[in-house]
Amino acid sequence: MKQALVDDTEDVSLDFGNEEELAFRKAKIRHPLATFFHLFFRVSAIVTYVSCDWFSKSFVGCFVTVLLLLSLDFWSVKNVTGRLLVGLRWWNQIDEDGKSHWIFEARKVSPNSIAATEAEARIFWLGLIICPMIWIVFFFSTLFSLKLKWLALVVAGISLQAANLYGYILCKMGGNSDISKVTATFLSQTVFQTACPGDFQKPGLKGLEIHQH
């Protein structure tokens, strides 16, 4: 009887590694500064655009301020927050023949590296998707209200933020050039993850480098 008990206990294997990793991914935000600036510049640009007529009568001052915030947002999201919050990076380069190449990279997950948390990823993607939609609303409101002097600024806002959204969606989906298929797949995954976060296991990021013409 004693020997049987010993054999039973020897067959039991407790692995706490996965539980610790899952608990970590659901933990608090690990990069508070990057998370703050991921939302700060784009939200500040929207707030400044909406309220600039109330606080200033200088069109040039408002235009330059909003454009500066949009440019800072584009640079920080493209070069800093995407790499820290979700482990993704993209850029475009021109080769010696004058051809444009899109390059997408995803951070490799190793035992020594630390993955991003779910809270950081959710904040990153929500900010990346919602803000361009707000600028699209501004485009139609500016067009219908005949405030055409603001149209160039709104178009700049849509272009800069949509460029980051486009680049990161392609990077997330592995550089697939079929943008309609990529967008549908990405949105379905995002809705499923939001509805059932505990039932969906996110795949590990693998290193990749994809060139597109």
Side-chain angles (χ1 to χ4, degrees):
M1 182 67 179
K2 184 177 180 180
Q3 182 64 31
L5 291 175
V6 172
D7 293 339
D8 290 341
T9 56
E10 288 178 350
D11 292 337
V12 176
S13 176
L14 299 178
D15 183 9
F16 295 100
N18 293 333
E19 295 181 2
E20 292 177 357
E21 182 180 357
L22 181 60
F24 172 80
R25 288 186 60 82
K26 294 183 178 179
K28 295 181 180 179
I29 295 173
R30 290 185 53 253
H31 303 94
L33 193 61
T35 304
F36 172 77
F37 281 106
H38 177 70
L39 298 176
F40 174 75
F41 290 125
R42 55 184 48 215
V43 172
S44 297
I46 292 173
V47 172
T48 303
Y49 174 80
V50 172
S51 59
C52 62
D53 283 339
W54 302 343
F55 299 103
S56 176
K57 298 298 182 181
S58 174
F59 169 75
V60 175
C62 294
F63 189 98
V64 172
T65 300
V66 175
L67 190 60
L68 179 62
L69 290 170
L70 289 171
S71 301
L72 291 173
D73 169 73
F74 178 81
W75 182 89
S76 63
V77 172
K78 179 177 178 294
N79 297 295
V80 181
T81 63
R83 177 174 53 85
L84 293 177
L85 300 183
V86 291
L88 300 174
R89 185 172 61 171
W90 69 272
W91 70 92
N92 183 273
Q93 68 181 21
I94 308 297
D95 61 13
E96 297 178 354
D97 298 329
K99 295 181 180 180
S100 177
H101 298 275
W102 289 82
I103 301 177
F104 308 97
E105 286 186 351
R107 180 175 56 207
K108 292 183 179 179
V109 174
S110 63
N112 296 326
S113 65
I114 301 177
T117 63
E118 291 184 1
E120 290 176 334
R122 188 174 292 111
I123 291 173
F124 177 84
W125 289 112
L126 286 177
L128 203 66
I129 294 172
I130 292 175
C131 290
M133 296 174 64
I134 295 176
W135 283 105
I136 292 175
V137 173
F138 288 161
F139 174 80
F140 288 106
S141 65
T142 302
L143 197 62
F144 294 146
S145 60
L146 298 180
K147 296 181 179 179
L148 300 182
K149 65 179 183 179
W150 296 103
L151 196 59
L153 182 60
V154 174
V155 171
I158 295 174
S159 302
L160 290 173
Q161 298 200 354
N164 263 329
L165 178 60
Y166 176 81
Y168 277 113
I169 288 179
L170 287 182
C171 191
K172 176 73 173 179
M173 305 307 294
N176 193 334
S177 59
D178 188 350
I179 187 60
S180 60
K181 182 179 179 180
V182 165
T183 304
T185 304
F186 174 76
L187 291 178
S188 63
Q189 288 185 358
T190 303
V191 171
F192 184 76
Q193 291 178 30
T194 304
C196 307
D199 299 333
F200 187 83
Q201 183 178 4
K202 295 182 180 180
L205 294 176
K206 297 180 180 179
L208 57 90
E209 183 172 291
I210 299 174
H211 295 263
Q212 282 190 335
H213 298 281

